[in-house]
Amino acid sequence: MSGRMASFWLRAGEKTLLLLALLVPLAFCLHSYDAGALKSTLLQAGALCLMSTWVLKGLERGRWELPASAMPMAAPAIVLTLWTIARFAGSASPMAGLQGFLRDLLYIGMFWVAMLEFGGAFFAARFKSWLLLAGWAAGLYGLLQNAGVDPFPWKGAFERQAFSTMGSPETLGLFMAACFPLALSRLVDPERDQWARGADAALIALLTLSAALSASPVTILAFTIAGMISAFFLPLCLP
């Protein structure tokens, strides 16, 4: 058993998750702007790599553990896993749904590995930083699109609606709404310095404006839910 190799596989899994947080929101293809298919493929490849690093690390250590910190999320994860398997097993035509079943298992497996190996506050803060970096890039690109500045062939695909690297205005609004509580949690963090909190405030303004420029009704609902989540959870996180 090699502790050095186990640490290597742990770091490889960590880097995989961080890269996914940055690359999946920003990935697009110049030849065929099917952002959804590209992002799904990238996410599945990343999930497979992440699960492989977890298996290899466990083999090096000779065991796989269930940390106490992961217990609150273990029960719903088990229910979701069993329900996915039961739904596939009870399908009238299992072979027709095999591809979707395997894709769902990859996503569930990625959740399991993230929960078991990277559930600490330190990694969560790093993951949030990488995801919000993607939020900065996607939001700024959305502003440029609305201003008519877009060097790519899909310029004007949704007229004046911003869609950035997301493929559609609705998806852009959903991503901006997902980033909103994360940016807000950093803004209210009393340990962050004044300059960092100023950047957080600017990011919140960018997320809100870019989402508004998507001009999608879905965005209104998404931001309403994001606001409710923030109002409920943020006070619990403050000292």
Side-chain angles (χ1 to χ4, degrees), residues 96-230:
L98 180 60
Q99 182 177 355
F101 172 67
L102 294 177
R103 182 186 63 239
D104 292 343
L105 284 185
L106 277 177
Y107 295 155
I108 293 173
M110 182 169 61
F111 174 78
W112 269 104
V113 175
M115 177 183 66
L116 294 175
E117 296 289 345
F118 309 106
F122 176 74
F123 179 79
R126 293 188 66 195
F127 185 84
K128 180 164 59 176
S129 296
W130 284 60
L131 190 63
L132 291 180
L133 181 60
W136 271 108
L140 289 172
Y141 181 28
L143 295 187
L144 291 175
Q145 280 183 329
N146 184 261
V149 181
D150 193 341
F152 299 117
W154 47 79
K155 178 179 180 180
F158 294 90
E159 298 181 352
R160 294 299 298 274
Q161 287 181 273
F163 57 94
S164 188
T165 58
M166 296 296 137
S168 72
E170 292 78 13
T171 311
L172 174 62
L174 290 173
F175 181 62
M176 297 292 100
C179 290
F180 181 81
L182 303 180
L184 188 59
S185 69
R186 298 210 304 186
L187 178 64
V188 301
D189 184 354
E191 297 184 1
R192 288 177 68 79
D193 59 46
Q194 183 178 359
W195 290 103
R197 297 175 75 178
D200 296 332
L203 176 58
I204 289 173
L206 174 65
L207 296 173
T208 305
L209 179 57
S210 185
L213 293 176
S214 72
S216 168
V218 175
T219 301
I220 300 174
L221 176 61
F223 262 82
T224 301
I225 295 174
M228 294 171 62
I229 292 174
S230 301

Side-chain angles (χ1 to χ4, degrees), residues 39-62:
K39 294 176 193 299
S40 178
T41 301
L42 182 60
L43 190 58
Q44 290 173 53
L48 189 59
C49 289
L50 181 64
M51 293 169 65
S52 298
T53 63
W54 177 71
V55 170
L56 291 169
K57 185 183 82 72
L59 290 174
E60 288 290 340
R61 288 186 173 178

